[in-house]
Amino acid sequence: HTHRYKERYFKRPQLATSIETDFAAHVASMLKQEIGAREMDQSTVMVLTGVEAIYGINKLSDITRRIEDDLRGNLLVLFPGHYQDGQYRFFDARDGWNYLAVPILPVAGKALA
């Protein structure tokens, strides 16, 4: 897709004040289409991958907040980062992203497959 103002934004990025909101709305819209196209119920698990692509553009919580009312079932988000001392760190960017999150941790002495 091309944005009609993209050349202006590249020349003067300070003009792109609505990009963050527009991008989050666009990604949420795409996810809502996927959710609507699937037969989902309370036992369904939707897996979201590739969220590292939004790093530096949007917060993942901004996007998930926009789809939570449309999602039937559970959302599993796979993201690069780590879980330590009860905190999630997405790309080491910030701590505290714990929105209904539950870590999947290895069993002591066993490797994850």
Side-chain angles (χ1 to χ4, degrees):
H1 294 281
T2 61
H3 194 284
R4 66 181 175 177
Y5 301 117
K6 81 174 182 183
E7 294 303 323
R8 286 187 211 169
Y9 290 157
F10 286 135
K11 289 178 184 173
R12 295 176 55 204
Q14 68 275 16
L15 295 175
T17 56
S18 67
I19 294 261
E20 184 176 325
T21 302
D22 292 347
F23 182 77
H26 176 70
V27 171
S29 175
M30 290 173 35
L31 290 171
K32 286 180 180 190
Q33 286 179 347
E34 286 298 319
I35 291 167
R38 310 278 185 247
E39 289 187 30
M40 299 173 71
D41 61 25
Q42 295 300 329
S43 63
T44 302
V45 176
M46 179 179 171
V47 180
L48 185 58
T49 63
V51 298
E52 64 275 7
I54 67 166
Y55 182 72
I57 300 171
N58 272 104
K59 293 178 184 172
L60 181 58
S61 59
D62 290 343
I63 295 169
T64 56
R65 193 174 302 114
R66 292 171 184 261
I67 67 168
E68 65 188 3
D69 291 337
D70 297 270
L71 188 61
R72 297 170 306 278
N74 300 285
L75 179 64
L76 172 62
V77 179
L78 304 177
F79 66 93
H82 67 274
Y83 173 78
Q84 183 178 5
D85 300 324
Q87 296 292 313
Y88 295 88
R89 294 187 66 97
F90 178 62
F91 273 137
D92 277 341
R94 67 181 178 102
D95 60 0
W97 190 78
N98 293 322
Y99 180 71
L100 301 177
V102 176
I104 300 172
L105 302 171
V107 176
K110 296 191 179 196
L112 292 174

